[in-house]
Amino acid sequence: RPHPDIASTYGALSFTYMQSGQYIRGLGNCRLSVDMFKKIHRNRPHPDLGESLMNLGSVYLRLGQHKRAIRYYQRSLEMFK
């Protein structure tokens, strides 16, 4: 069942994996965080979802997928409006 604390924990796991160079594992956890926050906030703008989308953009940036990173950063900005 979606819960903000669980979604945030997936985000923390993602950050930890990224710091250790395990970008693919970080990507998986970051996606779980984004998906859960989308369900929690019914895909409506919310800072929690914005932060998760920004983190997803950062994972893609580290993976060298710059266009995808930009797309997620732009989606993140929309969540803060």
Side-chain angles (χ1 to χ4, degrees):
R1 183 172 141 151
H3 190 278
D5 291 341
I6 295 171
S8 293
T9 301
Y10 281 129
L13 280 169
S14 174
F15 178 78
T16 303
Y17 282 126
M18 285 179 51
Q19 291 298 327
S20 66
Q22 298 179 61
Y23 302 119
I24 300 302
R25 283 186 125 171
L27 179 62
N29 281 277
C30 200
R31 284 182 178 161
L32 289 170
S33 178
V34 168
D35 290 344
M36 192 167 290
F37 276 128
K38 281 182 178 180
K39 289 177 186 172
I40 292 166
H41 300 295
R42 296 186 178 108
N43 210 24
R44 290 186 297 224
H46 192 278
D48 290 339
L49 182 53
E51 185 176 341
S52 288
L53 289 166
M54 182 174 53
N55 292 341
L56 190 53
S58 295
V59 176
Y60 282 117
L61 183 65
R62 292 268 180 104
L63 290 170
Q65 297 182 30
H66 299 108
K67 287 183 182 180
R68 189 172 278 178
I70 290 168
R71 188 167 54 239
Y72 281 103
Y73 288 144
Q74 289 171 334
R75 287 177 60 192
S76 173
L77 285 171
E78 294 298 316
M79 297 296 121
F80 293 107
K81 292 182 178 180

